Amino acid sequence: GQVDLVDFIDWTGVECLNQDPAHGIANALKQGYREDEGLHLASDSDEQLLIYIPFMQVIKLHSALFKGPEEEGPKTVKLFSNREHMGFSNVNDFPPSDSVDLSSSHLLESKPVTLKYVKFQNVRRYVHLSLAGG
């Protein structure tokens, strides 16, 4: 079966580049915060966010859930498995493990996105680049 991976996240290593300090990554990931419609994750500069999520053990990633307003939420998400030290200067140097174009049903109805499961079998670190402008 599938489980919420929030209990497997190594919170000391979570990073989000370009996050607005008033609307940080905890709003999107932590239980109790992510369910609050008034809280959200936002960029402080442009439409890009680079999120690094390490896990305390190796996990298998089947799907991901994204939610937000259709007009302001992410349009494209590039996912990278087991990559370290990625920044905006080098993220385009690596092919993503998967790339997802989000529809309004993904964002508004909290519809999970099924990933290329074979690419996410032994995940220790997970990075995703979120592009609001697509």
Side-chain angles (χ1 to χ4, degrees):
Q2 297 172 22
V3 298
D4 188 336
L5 295 174
V6 71
D7 292 331
F8 298 97
I9 295 174
D10 177 2
W11 292 103
T12 62
V14 172
E15 293 180 50
C16 182
L17 304 182
N18 271 8
Q19 72 180 332
D20 180 337
H23 302 286
I25 187 67
N27 292 349
L29 295 179
K30 289 200 173 182
Q31 289 175 336
Y33 288 54
R34 64 184 181 190
E35 293 84 8
D36 185 330
E37 294 297 324
L39 298 177
H40 61 277
L41 173 61
S43 174
D44 67 353
S45 56
D46 59 23
E47 72 269 1
Q48 295 188 41
L49 289 166
L50 189 60
I51 301 169
Y52 176 74
I53 304 170
F55 295 100
M56 293 182 283
Q57 66 185 52
V58 174
I59 56 102
K60 294 179 181 182
L61 190 61
H62 173 272
S63 57
L65 185 66
F66 305 92
K67 69 178 187 175
E70 182 179 12
E71 62 282 349
E72 296 175 19
K75 303 292 184 246
T76 302
V77 178
K78 295 180 182 180
L79 303 117
F80 302 85
S81 178
N82 296 322
R83 290 279 182 197
E84 287 189 83
H85 310 295
M86 292 181 74
F88 290 109
S89 62
N90 69 349
V91 71
N92 291 321
D93 295 345
F94 304 101
S97 303
D98 202 352
S99 183
V100 178
D101 292 320
L102 299 175
S103 68
S104 59
S105 66
H106 291 119
L107 296 173
L108 299 175
E109 301 165 23
S110 298
K111 180 181 168 188
V113 177
T114 302
L115 304 176
K116 293 178 183 169
Y117 189 57
V118 69
K119 301 275 188 168
F120 298 96
Q121 288 292 303
N122 294 298
V123 179
R124 187 73 165 156
R125 301 162 203 89
Y126 162 77
V127 178
H128 89 243
L129 174 65
S130 177
L131 305 168

